[in-house]
Amino acid sequence: MKNNTVKKLKSMRLPAFAKAYEKQIDQETEYCSISFRERLMLLVDAEYDSRHNNNIKRLIKNAKFSDSSAFLGNIEYLPDQHLNRNLLESMADNDYIRQWLNDPSFIINHTSSIF
């Protein structure tokens, strides 16, 4: 029965759901105290998270960034670069876009200098 269900889930293109279902079946003792509703929620969350993460990976790949692993935590705030740490960190949440504070004179170039 388990194999049939897994095959059906995979044929419906729900691979993360299938993998999470197999995990629940294989580790039944860990999941027996959880209600049906909670178990279903875990399965749906696994599929949703997988699709969301795959979508982000695809978008990053299609954007053709020169360094797709770059993130704000890796910035070296060296004195000769004159980077404003507070400004960059406040921009990380994109709130400046929602507030229409995007200034056309603000440019980040490939060397991460701010003008």
Side-chain angles (χ1 to χ4, degrees), residues 82-95:
H82 306 289
L83 295 174
N84 184 335
R85 178 187 294 256
N86 292 333
L87 176 63
L88 288 174
E89 289 175 355
S90 70
M91 291 175 50
D93 64 3
N94 294 327
D95 197 40

Side-chain angles (χ1 to χ4, degrees), residues 34-53:
I34 299 174
S35 71
F36 172 79
R37 184 183 211 170
E38 291 172 319
R39 288 178 75 165
L40 179 60
M41 187 175 65
L42 290 172
L43 295 170
V44 171
D45 285 348
E47 185 64 36
Y48 178 85
D49 291 343
S50 175
R51 287 176 184 238
H52 180 74
N53 291 336

Side-chain angles (χ1 to χ4, degrees), residues 8 19 21 42 59 63 77 79:
K8 288 176 184 177
K19 185 176 180 180
Y21 172 73
L42 290 172
L59 291 171
Y77 296 93

Side-chain angles (χ1 to χ4, degrees), residues 2-99:
K2 171 186 151 186
N3 288 338
N4 258 351
T5 303
V6 171
K7 284 180 187 178
K8 288 176 184 177
L9 288 168
K10 288 180 180 179
S11 73
M12 292 188 305
R13 296 186 177 159
L14 299 169
F17 195 107
K19 185 176 180 180
Y21 172 73
E22 284 182 301
K23 180 181 176 186
Q24 284 190 15
I25 298 301
D26 293 341
Q27 299 173 357
E28 183 109 23
T29 55
E30 292 180 30
Y31 292 95
C32 67
S33 63
I34 299 174
S35 71
F36 172 79
R37 184 183 211 170
E38 291 172 319
R39 288 178 75 165
L40 179 60
M41 187 175 65
L42 290 172
L43 295 170
V44 171
D45 285 348
E47 185 64 36
Y48 178 85
D49 291 343
S50 175
R51 287 176 184 238
H52 180 74
N53 291 336
N54 288 339
N55 187 40
I56 290 172
K57 288 176 189 175
R58 181 184 51 78
L59 291 171
I60 289 172
K61 182 181 174 186
N62 290 344
K64 299 179 181 168
F65 294 126
S66 59
D67 184 2
S68 61
S69 65
F71 71 104
L72 287 176
N74 284 343
I75 294 177
E76 294 181 8
Y77 296 93
L78 302 174
D80 61 328
Q81 291 180 325
H82 306 289
L83 295 174
N84 184 335
R85 178 187 294 256
N86 292 333
L87 176 63
L88 288 174
E89 289 175 355
S90 70
M91 291 175 50
D93 64 3
N94 294 327
D95 197 40
Y96 68 98
I97 295 172
R98 286 185 286 279
Q99 295 178 5

